[in-house]
Amino acid sequence: MTPKMPVSVQRWTPTSVAAIGVLIAIVVALAFAPFVLGANAIDKLITLYIYVIIAAMWNALAGYAGLVSVGQQAFFGLGAYAAIRLSNAGIEVYSALALGALAGGLISIPLSWFMLRLRDGEFAIGMWVVAVVAHLLVVQDKLINGETGTSLRALTAYAANDRRAYTYWMALGAMVLFLALIFVLLRSRLGASVQAIRDDEEAAAAVGVRVLRGKVIIFVLAATGAAAAGALWLATAISFQPATYFGVQWSAYMIFMALVGGLGTFEGPILGALLFFLVQDVFGEVGVWYLVGLGLVAIFFALFMPRGIWGTIEDRFGIRLMPVGYRLRLPDSVVLAAKTEEDAAAGS
Amino acid sequence: MGGEFAPAPAEEPILAGVGVVKRFGALVVLDKVDFAVASNEAIGIVGPNGAGKTTLLNVLSGASQPSQGTVRFRNIDVTNAGAAQHCRLGIARSHQIPRPFGGMTVFENTFVAATAGGNRKGRDAYERCIEALELCAMLGHANRRAETLGLLDRKRLELARALATDPVVLLLDEIGGGLTDGEAGQLVETIRELRRRGIAIVWIEHIVHVLLQVVERLVCLDGGRVIADGRPEAVMADPAVIGAYLGQGVA
Ligand SMILES: Nc1ncnc2c1ncn2[C@@H]1O[C@H](COP(=O)(O)OP(=O)(O)OP(=O)(O)O)[C@@H](O)[C@H]1O
Ligand SMILES: [Mg+2]
């Protein structure tokens, strides 16, 4: 064999270095928003960050690990509920919100043992059942007052403007944290293994991938992210009406954002969240026909543009912003030989 | 590569199925099969369609568990260890119908294999993948999404991916079907190179003349039983083997 191969693996490209740089600059600039922008704009940005979190988390679950769930609102609701419980137990309110997110993630660990035995459709529906059951159980808690709900009263101890700024920074921090976690995970060996599980579980096992372990890690990460989003939603809304948090519309939003933006791409769900945020801003009210409209658009994308907007752009123009994949730098002669051989095979 | 007159190699088998029975409901697909491969041995498996060849390979690779009997690797019972563990121990396989990771590039397909099955990291993993791809003539396609490959290249990727896991035994399921003579010759060269590296080969293939360029032992399965096992010429001349193929109408 050839002793030294003129082939190398490329992860960082000038484009991706620039993209990461721009991203960091944007985040730094956004951190100053509470000093510059008005209350209305800050509230909107918080909402946007929450959308980005749930879209990115659903994408990690479905787009990268192939675990399509219509029940992530279970964790969204449980994160908020746990925060209320912890605050009621006397824990400082912002700590209670952070711990609530963690509690949502913790619950997913024993749950994963049952749920990840289910496959495809069974898993999707099973997760929806989990959300319904979680909803029913939370409503049993006296503290919640049934469907009437309650509120995170401890938050009202803060002046409205301070509260808004703290919640904003928490939301920004959570978004950056979860995106960074996905980024690190995708670049790791685990990231490649998880994608193999998505594409073909048996074949992944055949090349040594520990399938269950990979799924559990993603499942718990996605649950924690959804729970954090729920806790953040509580921090802006203050009121907790169970039906709002455990509602299936959250799944519709997540699916819409991930599918339209680009399932299985890092950038796609961020783009999808931005688009959804704008759509929400224009149409405002959440009605049944609005949900139907979202569903139709999502179905359109699933059928005719399965890689979503960002995936299509990537394929068409060969752009890679985030260095989460692997490109081989090959001598032209090697690529040319492969092409020639293929053309010959096609011609014969 | 035993001596001319040694009927069985004295060497310990590295991978063995002992009394393997596999049933699907009432259907008995493997009926008390004993099968063993020694290190650096190359065995061909032939037999008519539906004989149970792929099923045997599934059991040996841990993808499915036998209804009865055991699978031993280096004399350790691995019957229920599961496919991932088999691979990590050094038992790699290719699939009769290729199963690429369609959403990943060709290189990433091998990268999963090198890092998971081969337990390699970073640059070490990269080098293993590049070598495996080069050996299977797939380097030029390294950056393509695997779902865009044609059948021939998918088969090559199966082999490259299996190699990237650093196997000591390689179980191949009809990777030579549908090849032109030139392509088959290339494949034979690749498999021979693997043998030189000390990898044991178990190769299921209908095209016997290709098989015979590599293996020194042939096993014939029919109806879930081993009906012949030995030197290739002897097996091919065995009346039971000829009968099995005639029954199928395949010569
Ligand atoms: N999962 C399964 N459930 C039920 N029957 C099965 C299953 N897998 C295989 N079989 C049956 O077992 C028998 C042996 O199948 P197997 O795939 O092992 O044959 P083979 O020798 O590999 O054939 P071929 O040369 O066509 O690949 C066939 O009759 C097949 O229908
Ligand atoms: Mg078969």
Side-chain angles (χ1 to χ4, degrees), chain B residues 24 27 29 47-56 96 173-174 206:
Chain B
F24 292 106
L27 186 68
V29 174
N49 293 112
K53 305 181 295 294
T54 298
T55 306
L56 176 62
Q96 182 171 352
D173 198 351
E174 299 194 21
H206 284 294

Side-chain angles (χ1 to χ4, degrees), chain B residues 58-185:
Chain B
N58 284 343
V59 168
L60 291 175
S61 67
S64 79
Q65 279 68 50
S67 313
Q68 271 168 49
T70 54
V71 178
R72 298 183 147 266
F73 178 75
R74 293 201 163 119
N75 243 337
I76 303 161
D77 189 332
V78 294
T79 315
N80 297 307
Q85 187 59 25
H86 278 239
C87 180
R88 284 160 183 261
L89 287 169
I91 308 163
R93 60 114 23 117
S94 75
H95 296 91
Q96 182 171 352
I97 298 164
R99 304 182 73 156
F101 305 129
M104 307 171 77
T105 68
V106 165
F107 175 80
E108 286 163 355
N109 267 259
T110 56
F111 184 73
V112 172
T115 53
N119 199 27
R120 290 179 186 249
K121 288 193 175 100
R123 199 165 298 279
D124 187 32
Y126 296 162
E127 274 163 17
R128 184 79 197 101
C129 295
I130 291 167
E131 199 200 0
L133 288 172
E134 193 170 43
L135 205 55
C136 301
M138 282 298 285
L139 199 54
H141 297 309
N143 292 324
R144 278 176 62 178
R145 277 165 80 86
E147 64 192 2
T148 67
L149 297 174
L151 181 62
L152 173 61
D153 285 331
R154 283 175 188 232
K155 287 196 172 193
R156 287 173 171 170
L157 177 56
E158 279 287 325
L159 183 57
R161 214 167 57 178
L163 283 181
T165 66
D166 281 315
V168 288
V169 191
L170 190 53
L171 311 173
L172 302 172
D173 198 351
E174 299 194 21
I175 47 164
L179 298 188
T180 64
D181 287 348
E183 288 159 357

